[in-house]
Amino acid sequence: MDLQLASFITAGALVVLGLYGFFFVDNVIKKIIALSIIGNGVNLTLVAMGYKEGGYAPIYIPSVEFQVFAREMAYPLPQALVLTNIVIGASMLAVMLALSIVFYRKYKTLKTSVILKED
Amino acid sequence: MNLLPLIVVVPLITAVVFSYIYRSKYVKPLTLFIGFILLVLPLLGTYGPYFFGGHGIVYIGTIPLVSGIVYTLNPLKETMIFTLMLIGSIVLVLSTRERELSGVFTSLVLMGLASVSAVILTEDLFNLYVFYEIAAITQAGLVILSGTEEAYRSAFRYLLVGTMAGSILLLGVGLLLSATGSLNIGDMGRCLTVNPLTPTVYGGLLMLIVGLAYGGGLPPFHTLKADLYARAKPFVAAILQAYSKFILIALMLVVLKLFGNLPIFHTTRGVLIALSVFAMVFGTVMALLQEDYRKLLAYHTVSQGGYVALGLALGTPLAILAGIFHGINHTLYKSALFIGAHILDKIKSTDMRKVGGLLLVTPTLAFLILCAKLASIGIPPFNGFQSKLLLAEAVMNANMPELAVLMLILSIGTFLYMMKAFYLIFLRPCSEEQLREFKDVKISKYYILSLGLLLVLCLFLGIYPDIVIDRLYPVVEDIGVKWVLESIKNS
């Protein structure tokens, strides 16, 4: 199978799996993991968009003529986006996990139905 | 020399510094100092583009394309950033009167100001996404600092949904990048105009709208935002609502620039108008039902966000102008109302069942809050009247008189709940003992002064709205959607 297509299918599967976890699992940590999986699915989609069959990695190779390199390299912009997004995702994750610890200390459970219950 | 990047860089760097010195005894004086510096920042940039790296404008054949990240400054963006920095400055100065101030609070406010300024200034869609996410974390952080259990819950909910909405927005950015090959909003708009529309573009637009709704507090994320405002300390909610309002305006302008002149905007416009109307109606109805003044203000903020979005969604230059002008006005008077709520919280509580008769205790505060309420209802000579009138005129010009009627009905609703709140807090009789208890509370003059300053601005913009309108109109004239204008002329 075409590698790009396979990547898109995998990314789709990750997003669907993440959505299932987010909406139907009653556990704070699992919800956070589900969100992380969705984020990874999106990242994979972006990387797959810039993929080029048989192309060069977007790091300049002096031995290859510039015109050929520019034509044949993978599109580097999505990779830069994904790198930045990984950092943002990590910071979001850190804050949510810190809050989960606070909730666990208070309620002695990780059930979303208990923690996020309206008064 | 163009010092435009300093608008973002100065708050960003000082935010990092404050996070290191958060326990230092110098936090208060430094917070005051940076509070005043913020007011100067919007004046540092010069109008026009600023290129971060890249090669500036490059030509592919005869087509000009932007290389690298660009920030642009124009009178519209300058006015928005000045309003934002003013509110930020006031909140920082007021925070020095709070006992439990730490550098973390200052750091988060500054981080938020930097990120929202970047969202306003940037012409790069991914750069916008990055700062949009930073703004989301900052807002959650500011609510967490309130320290209550409800605040933790609200922030957690906001982050949970925000992570999802952020992923959706990023996917939208990726889809639009794949459809256009660029991240520069101007280049993307031009590319979309000349190329046939594909499902990728439709998907990108849909995801952009989801991100917009989350960032700006439009349905289906309106309850999250309202919850966030209601759980934060009221004077913190003042800056939170300013963040949301300007993110909403910035993202709506992006949608207009990208899709405004495409046939797809016909449907998009309908969807955005529907979301705005729902926010307006829902916010007003929910505010009518509240017994807590903070929650009432939170839902009022949601409903006013609907007004702003409605103006921008209509797409005519006049409507866009009215929407942005209302956003600026709303930010000013709503900050005043939230600061008023903070004073009430200090006196006793924002629960309207627990207070009363405050007119006898603090007549100055009662007068100032009444003025802020009149501005929010849209009564002359305050700024709310001018922007609502302009919006009603724009709605009529766009051949949608039914929306003007709805706005009128909702204004009556706003009048009812604002006056109900005023009666319950200031006029309702209460016992001598309670009055003595209220009188014992000392209110810092800083609060009254900041309230007064905001109301002077509201009054000034109400009497001389042209000062802002004349600055904004030449910019919004270019953003206005041509086919909407043509269809209005034809009809």
Side-chain angles (χ1 to χ4, degrees):
Chain A
M1 195 199 283
D2 181 355
L3 195 59
Q4 194 177 30
L5 181 65
S7 301
F8 280 133
I9 293 171
T10 314
L14 284 174
V15 172
V16 171
L17 197 69
L19 285 174
Y20 172 79
F22 181 73
F23 285 111
F24 298 108
V25 179
D26 186 22
N27 182 301
V28 170
I29 299 288
K30 286 179 184 170
K31 269 195 199 298
I32 294 171
I33 292 171
L35 285 171
S36 192
I37 291 173
I38 295 174
N40 288 337
V42 172
N43 287 344
L44 185 58
T45 312
L46 290 177
V47 173
M49 276 174 189
Y51 174 75
K52 189 164 191 171
E53 186 79 48
Y56 294 112
I59 304 165
Y60 183 55
I61 308 164
S63 58
V64 181
E65 195 189 332
F66 181 75
Q67 299 291 339
V68 177
F69 177 76
R71 199 173 52 238
E72 296 299 325
M73 74 170 184
Y75 191 35
L77 202 53
Q79 299 180 16
L81 305 194
V82 167
L83 268 178
T84 318
N85 190 45
I86 288 169
V87 178
I88 295 170
S91 53
M92 289 282 236
L93 208 66
V95 180
M96 285 192 290
L97 287 172
L99 280 172
S100 306
I101 294 170
V102 175
F103 289 136
Y104 184 73
R105 283 185 183 152
K106 167 86 183 161
Y107 298 102
K108 306 288 177 216
T109 178
L110 286 170
K111 282 192 170 186
T112 324
S113 51
V114 176
I115 292 171
L116 298 182
K117 201 173 84 178
E118 289 290 338
D119 297 324
Chain B
M1 191 181 169
N2 193 352
L3 299 174
L4 176 62
L6 291 185
I7 296 175
V8 178
V9 171
V10 169
L12 208 57
I13 289 178
T14 40
V16 176
V17 171
F18 271 101
S19 69
Y20 277 107
I21 58 157
Y22 67 99
R23 278 183 185 160
S24 162
K25 59 180 177 181
Y26 299 113
V27 165
K28 274 192 182 180
L30 284 175
T31 301
L32 270 177
F33 177 69
I34 193 71
F36 290 113
I37 293 288
L38 288 176
L39 294 174
V40 187
L41 287 180
L43 310 172
L44 294 180
T46 45
Y47 294 153
Y50 182 91
F51 296 92
F52 285 90
H55 304 281
I57 295 172
V58 291
Y59 284 86
I60 308 286
T62 54
I63 304 166
L65 290 171
V66 174
S67 159
I69 294 172
V70 190
Y71 279 15
T72 56
L73 188 69
N74 54 38
L76 165 66
K77 292 183 177 188
E78 194 182 43
T79 313
M80 279 160 60
I81 291 176
F82 183 76
T83 315
L84 178 72
M85 292 296 180
L86 176 72
I87 306 297
S89 178
I90 288 173
V91 168
L92 284 180
V93 171
L94 290 183
S95 73
T96 59
R97 312 315 299 166
E98 297 290 307
R99 264 187 224 146
E100 64 271 32
L101 170 75
S102 77
V104 179
F105 176 80
T106 312
S107 172
L108 284 171
V109 171
L110 289 170
M111 190 73 85
L113 290 173
S115 47
V116 178
S117 302
V119 167
I120 294 169
L121 288 171
T122 189
E123 291 293 324
D124 183 280
L125 205 51
F126 184 69
N127 194 254
L128 185 147
Y129 162 75
V130 170
F131 282 106
Y132 167 95
E133 286 286 61
I134 296 173
I137 301 176
T138 308
Q139 290 180 66
L142 282 169
V143 177
I144 290 169
L145 281 186
S146 298
T148 60
E149 205 178 302
E150 289 86 6
Y152 285 163
R153 263 191 242 154
S154 296
F156 188 69
R157 256 190 234 117
Y158 187 71
L159 278 177
L160 271 181
V161 180
T163 312
M164 172 101 89
S167 294
I168 292 172
L169 178 63
L170 177 66
L171 195 56
V173 173
L175 291 177
L176 292 172
L177 168 68
S178 76
T180 61
S182 173
L183 282 171
N184 182 273
I185 293 164
D187 289 348
M188 290 170 102
R190 276 191 293 278
C191 181
L192 289 170
T193 317
V194 293
N195 290 325
L197 292 176
T198 58
T200 314
V201 177
Y202 290 115
L205 170 62
L206 184 69
M207 291 173 184
L208 208 59
I209 291 175
V210 173
L212 179 156
Y214 172 76
L218 290 183
F221 304 107
H222 53 298
T223 47
L224 277 176
K225 278 279 182 194
D227 205 30
L228 211 63
Y229 302 142
R231 304 302 183 194
K233 284 188 175 173
F235 85 104
V236 178
I239 191 73
L240 292 179
Q241 60 89 21
Y243 291 158
S244 301
K245 211 61 69 217
F246 289 119
I247 288 177
L248 173 67
I249 294 173
L251 285 172
M252 289 290 279
L253 289 176
V254 169
V255 170
L256 284 168
K257 283 180 197 166
L258 286 178
F259 303 98
N261 290 313
L262 302 180
I264 194 179
F265 188 71
H266 196 36
T267 320
T268 312
R269 186 175 179 244
V271 171
L272 289 173
I273 290 174
L275 289 179
S276 315
V277 168
F278 187 78
M280 285 157 67
V281 175
F282 176 85
T284 307
V285 173
M286 286 304 288
L288 275 166
L289 301 174
Q290 299 309 313
E291 287 178 328
D292 187 289
Y293 187 52
R294 255 196 254 195
K295 286 187 182 169
L296 184 148
L297 292 181
Y299 283 109
H300 179 244
T301 309
V302 169
S303 86
Q304 298 302 300
Y307 280 79
V308 176
L310 175 68
L312 286 147
L314 284 171
T316 62
L318 185 66
I320 297 172
L321 174 72
I324 296 172
F325 188 39
H326 190 63
I328 292 167
N329 288 340
H330 174 250
T331 307
L332 291 172
Y333 63 68
K334 184 45 70 69
S335 300
L337 284 168
F338 272 123
I339 291 169
H342 191 70
I343 300 171
L344 290 180
D345 199 29
K346 281 194 172 302
I347 292 174
K348 173 74 180 172
S349 164
T350 52
D351 188 337
M352 292 186 285
R353 289 165 296 187
K354 292 181 184 168
V355 286
L358 286 179
L359 183 66
L360 298 170
V361 182
T362 58
T364 319
L365 177 67
F367 173 72
L368 293 173
I369 289 186
L370 181 65
C371 289
K373 281 179 188 299
L374 294 179
S376 72
I377 297 161
I379 289 177
F382 294 100
N383 55 354
F385 165 74
Q386 294 289 0
S387 51
K388 281 190 177 175
L389 182 71
L390 203 64
L391 194 57
E393 196 184 326
V395 167
M396 293 300 281
N397 278 353
N399 289 334
M400 292 186 175
E402 59 278 15
L403 285 180
V405 174
L406 182 72
M407 280 172 58
L408 192 68
I409 295 169
L410 293 178
S411 282
I412 296 168
T414 310
F415 178 82
L416 283 176
Y417 63 72
M418 283 297 179
M419 286 303 120
K420 178 191 94 175
F422 188 78
Y423 169 76
L424 291 176
I425 295 166
F426 292 102
L427 304 177
R428 187 176 54 172
C430 71
S431 66
E432 285 291 321
E433 192 186 334
Q434 264 187 317
L435 281 179
R436 268 198 300 278
E437 186 194 333
F438 296 154
K439 271 180 187 164
D440 288 343
V441 181
K442 289 263 185 308
I443 304 166
S444 166
K445 278 181 186 160
Y446 279 69
Y447 290 106
I448 302 290
L449 281 175
S450 52
L451 247 175
L453 172 71
L454 286 167
L455 288 168
V456 166
L457 273 173
C458 289
L459 191 62
F460 184 74
L461 287 180
I463 298 170
Y464 304 107
D466 292 347
I467 289 175
V468 173
I469 289 172
D470 291 347
R471 278 172 67 78
L472 304 190
Y473 194 74
V475 184
V476 297
E477 209 175 6
D478 292 337
I479 305 169
V481 180
K482 290 181 187 80
W483 68 260
V484 177
L485 284 172
E486 278 162 19
S487 68
I488 291 167
K489 273 181 201 162
N490 293 337
S491 64

